[in-house]
Each structure stands twice: as structure tokens, then as C-alpha cells.
Amino acid sequence: MRIPWAASTLILVLAGGVVGGCDAIVPPAQSPTNSAPTAASDAPTTPPPGAASPDATATDGTPTTEPTTAPTPEPLVLGGTWVKPKAGGRLTSYTTTLSARPTATGDGVTTFTEIVFSATWAGAAKKTACKATEPGKNGEWSCKANLLALGVPPGKVTFSFDVSGVGVPVARSPDGARRIIYAVPPPRPANSRLQQLEQPDFESGDNSAILHRVQWSAPAGYADEFLVYETFECPRPSTRENSGKPCFVAGTPVDVSKLELRAKAAGDAASVKIRLTEYECGPAHGSILLRARNAYGKSVFEIVEAAPIDWVPPGDMIC
């Protein structure tokens, strides 16, 4: 059956074509479309804060976090610094103050309990000089050391200190040693006495040289020598009130120009023999004085025996 032209044209238009001649069909233009994005294209590529990284997963797919390492604590260590004495200083007294400041570094806290100061010298082992058990108002830990009582001889002395605290090891000599010069004269000899070893013989004259022994005690290592003197000086006034009292007592000044040297003894000696002239008419002998000497000076005088003050009433005669 033949289709009329008008009908065939309608069929082509309905089919979406345009007649471009009897058998040329131009397809209709495509209109742009705004298609919605898919869920896959909208998904974020970076995980939000706090989410596990895609790479940080366990073998079963569970997200994991990276472990952190805690810092290793430093052990608490005690220390300290010197305050006194000054290195290379010169000590001219028998006692001295030793002081230091304790310190602590590292993790934790402790309570300082004491600082022990020690001394050593040529030929001697370390010896405790004194202990400080609490700080002063200025934070220094101090104590007083008596070097004479410790038996420290004059010369070079080395000090050190150790710091102690609760629950921590003792710090042994944390600031090193301090060396000083202990430059002191010998102390005054003590416990002296005069012992007569012979009896006088006046048959050959009115005087006699009698042998005596002078004895004393003194700390070891201080004296280089001991000197024994005799003097007929009597510094105290010769009055009725003073008659028979000693010419020398502690504190009496001594005129060294009036001293007569009777004997010398070595620094480690404890006695020496001397001859004293005794008179048949008059005093037995003068006052006997003793002193020690070393490279740093001389001791004060020890009164071995003091002659009595001789007062004679006017008009009287001794012999």
C-alpha cells in the first residue's frame, strides 16, 4: 500500500529526524544534561581529624594508633660546692670554719641530712674534721674544726666534704679538695715542772751549780725545738702585800732582754736537764720559763717555776 507523502513526513518527524531531502535524515541536537554526582565522587579523600589513617590498620582491618615512648627519668644525684676555706689560703689559728652548699640534680626530691668535712695531711689517713647537720640562714652548711685537737701539725692540710641525703647515694667529694697552709706557732707547753736531781754543796763556796730536770707535755708535730730560760727579773711590785707571791703569773709581761738561755731540746722531747746556780745567801735560783718554737713563730711562755717576790722591811738584811 502506498503511504501518502504527508503521512511519511509525519513518521520521520516522530522518529526524531528532519527531512533533508528524500533520503537525508539529520539527527536532532542533544541538549546538555546536569546529572547529579555519584556518592563515590562526593566521598572525601582525607580522613577527618582523629580518624585512623588508611594505612594504620590491623590485619583484621581495625584502625590502630601509633604508640608513644615515655622519657626515661634521670636518677637523682647529690652534689655541692665549696664556700670555705679558700683554696691556697693561710690559716693562722687552731680552729677554722668549714662550709659548703649542697645541691641535687635529676628527677625526684630528697632532704639533705648532713655534710661531713674531712682533713688529711702528710703521712696521715683522712680524718673527720667536723659535721654540719643543718643549714644556716644563708643556705650554707657550716661547722667549726679544731685542728689542734685533731692532731693536725702545721704545714699543708687538705680538706674535702661528702654530702648525704634521704634515699640517695652519698656524694663523695663532689667539689674536689681544698688545700691550705696551716701556719700556726706551737701552743704553749703544759704540765711543766722542775725536778732537782742533786743536792747543793756550799763547802767549796757560797754557790753551787745544781742539776735539775725540766719536764713538760706538748702536742706532737708542732714544735721544732723547746727553749728553757732563767730570769732574775721580778716584774710584779715588791711590796709588803706581794711578799712571797710569785714574780710571774699568767699574763705577766716578760722582758726577753732579761732572759738567760739555759737549755734547748728537740721538738719531740718532753724533758731536758739544766744546771741552776743556788746561793747560800739569797734566792735558790731565778724564775724558770719555757717556750716552743717552729718555722711559724714561738709559743707564749710557760711558767715552770716562778721565784717568790722578795720584800725586805726597811733596815732589815737578807743575810
Side-chain angles (χ1 to χ4, degrees), residues 225-237:
E225 63 179 354
F226 294 94
L227 308 172
V228 180
Y229 298 95
E230 181 181 20
T231 181
F232 289 92
E233 179 198 20
C234 191
R236 302 181 70 189

Side-chain angles (χ1 to χ4, degrees), residues 4-202:
W5 178 87
S8 64
T9 302
L10 181 59
I11 293 173
L12 292 174
V13 172
L14 293 176
V18 179
V19 177
C22 293
D23 53 358
I25 299 176
V26 179
Q30 299 290 328
S31 62
T33 58
N34 293 324
S35 59
T38 62
S41 62
D42 283 344
T45 58
T46 302
S53 169
D55 294 334
T57 57
T59 57
D60 58 357
T62 304
T64 61
T65 57
E66 189 71 21
T68 58
T69 304
T72 304
E74 295 184 6
L76 190 63
V77 178
L78 298 183
T81 57
W82 273 109
V83 178
K84 294 179 182 179
K86 180 181 178 181
R90 192 177 182 90
L91 177 62
T92 57
S93 63
Y94 300 127
T95 60
T96 187
T97 298
L98 305 175
S99 60
R101 291 181 182 273
T103 60
T105 58
D107 296 323
V109 294
T110 186
T111 299
F112 300 117
T113 55
E114 68 175 3
I115 295 183
V116 178
F117 295 90
S118 301
T120 185
W121 54 94
K126 183 184 292 187
K127 192 172 185 178
T128 298
C130 64
K131 296 181 180 180
T133 56
E134 61 182 3
K137 294 181 179 179
N138 56 3
E140 299 174 4
W141 290 57
S142 305
C143 60
K144 189 172 290 291
N146 187 326
L147 275 61
L148 178 60
L150 288 171
V152 181
K156 295 179 181 179
V157 183
T158 301
F159 293 106
S160 62
F161 69 87
D162 300 335
V163 179
S164 296
V166 177
V168 288
V170 175
R172 304 291 183 186
S173 190
D175 199 23
R178 286 284 172 93
R179 175 174 288 185
I180 65 164
I181 302 298
Y182 182 40
V184 293
R188 176 174 60 87
N191 305 317
S192 64
R193 66 189 185 97
L194 181 67
Q195 180 184 9
Q196 182 175 312
L197 301 179
E198 296 177 343
Q199 294 299 319
D201 179 10
F202 297 116

